[in-house]
């Protein structure tokens, strides 16, 4: 990897907009001349095979990622198979690529800086179960008292949060 390779996780429950945000970040980073990779956690169990996770990796590549992968059921779709891949091992594997930033979709329990996507009030539980929150992007209006420790953006403030996140990863 490059001298410095940033890692940023995008976490949220199903249909919260993780893949869409990943595409936007990958596109912007690639436009800024950064070499980008993505890692997606197949959170629905089993081997990712022509499902939405595999299609999401294609979306990441089309957005500008020079390498992308999906992991599930013991299979890393870079045509490698081992039992129990973890995020640290995948990041080490990515060391062979000349990268500036890796965007990670999922892996809520890992320790890298995170963007938390909130769709509704039930999703607020994520704020108490994940660590290292860089910012929150919400589909709904949130009480600032609850979120006083976090940078918060509304979903429609796309330019603001994309600019903010790009400054963080560069």
């Amino acid at each position: 990897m490059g001298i410095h390779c940033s890692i940023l996780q995008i976490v949220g429950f199903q249909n919260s907009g993780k893949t869409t945000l990943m595409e936007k970040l990958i596109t912007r980073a690639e436009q800024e001349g950064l070499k980008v990779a993505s890692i997606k956690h197949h959170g629905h169990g089993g081997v990712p095979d022509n499902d939405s996770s595999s299609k999401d990796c294609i979306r990441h590549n089309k957005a500008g990622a020079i390498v992308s992968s999906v992991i599930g059921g013991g299979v890393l779709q870079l045509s490698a198979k081992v039992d129990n891949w973890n995020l640290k091992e995948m990041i080490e594997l990515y060391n062979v690529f000349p990268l500036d930033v890796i965007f990670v979709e999922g892996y809520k329990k890992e320790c890298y800086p995170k963007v938390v996507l909130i769709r509704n009030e039930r999703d607020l539980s994520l704020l108490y179960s994940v660590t290292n929150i860089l910012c929150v992007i919400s589909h709904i209006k949130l009480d600032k008292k609850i979120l006083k420790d976090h940078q918060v953006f509304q979903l429609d403030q796309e330019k603001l949060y994309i600019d903010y996140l790009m400054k963080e990863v560069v």
Side-chain angles (χ1 to χ4, degrees), residues 1 4-9 39 87 91-92 100-104 111-114 132 134 168-169:
M1 276 191 267
H4 173 72
C5 181
S6 297
I7 298 171
L8 179 65
Q9 288 183 254
I39 297 173
L87 183 57
I91 289 169
E92 289 173 6
D100 298 307
V101 62
I102 300 172
F103 293 114
V104 178
C111 63
Y112 299 99
K114 291 177 190 66
N132 207 2
L134 183 62
E168 293 295 323
V169 299

Side-chain angles (χ1 to χ4, degrees), residues 113-131:
K114 291 177 190 66
V115 176
V116 178
L117 293 166
I118 303 293
R119 292 174 308 187
N120 55 50
E121 289 187 15
R122 289 186 310 270
D123 291 358
L124 290 171
S125 64
L126 274 175
L127 301 176
Y128 306 105
S129 64
V130 301
T131 60

Side-chain angles (χ1 to χ4, degrees), residues 49-153:
D49 184 30
N50 295 323
D51 65 1
S52 62
S53 294
S54 299
K55 291 173 187 161
D56 289 350
C57 283
I58 293 167
R59 287 172 63 182
H60 296 173
N61 285 123
K62 285 183 178 179
I66 62 172
V67 62
S68 66
S69 66
V70 61
I71 179 74
V75 173
L76 170 65
Q77 277 195 343
L78 275 172
S79 299
K81 182 173 170 54
V82 294
D83 294 329
N84 302 317
W85 280 87
N86 65 48
L87 183 57
K88 183 180 178 196
E89 291 168 330
M90 289 175 50
I91 289 169
E92 289 173 6
L93 175 66
Y94 276 43
N95 278 325
V96 301
F97 299 99
L99 300 172
D100 298 307
V101 62
I102 300 172
F103 293 114
V104 178
E105 185 176 333
Y107 289 97
K108 292 177 185 88
K109 294 183 178 166
E110 294 295 334
C111 63
Y112 299 99
K114 291 177 190 66
V115 176
V116 178
L117 293 166
I118 303 293
R119 292 174 308 187
N120 55 50
E121 289 187 15
R122 289 186 310 270
D123 291 358
L124 290 171
S125 64
L126 274 175
L127 301 176
Y128 306 105
S129 64
V130 301
T131 60
N132 207 2
I133 297 171
L134 183 62
C135 74
V136 176
I137 300 173
S138 180
H139 293 238
I140 59 170
K141 208 69 159 153
L142 297 173
D143 183 351
K144 294 191 189 266
K145 293 177 201 167
I146 296 172
L147 298 166
K148 64 182 180 228
D149 296 331
H150 305 297
Q151 175 71 46
V152 179
F153 298 96

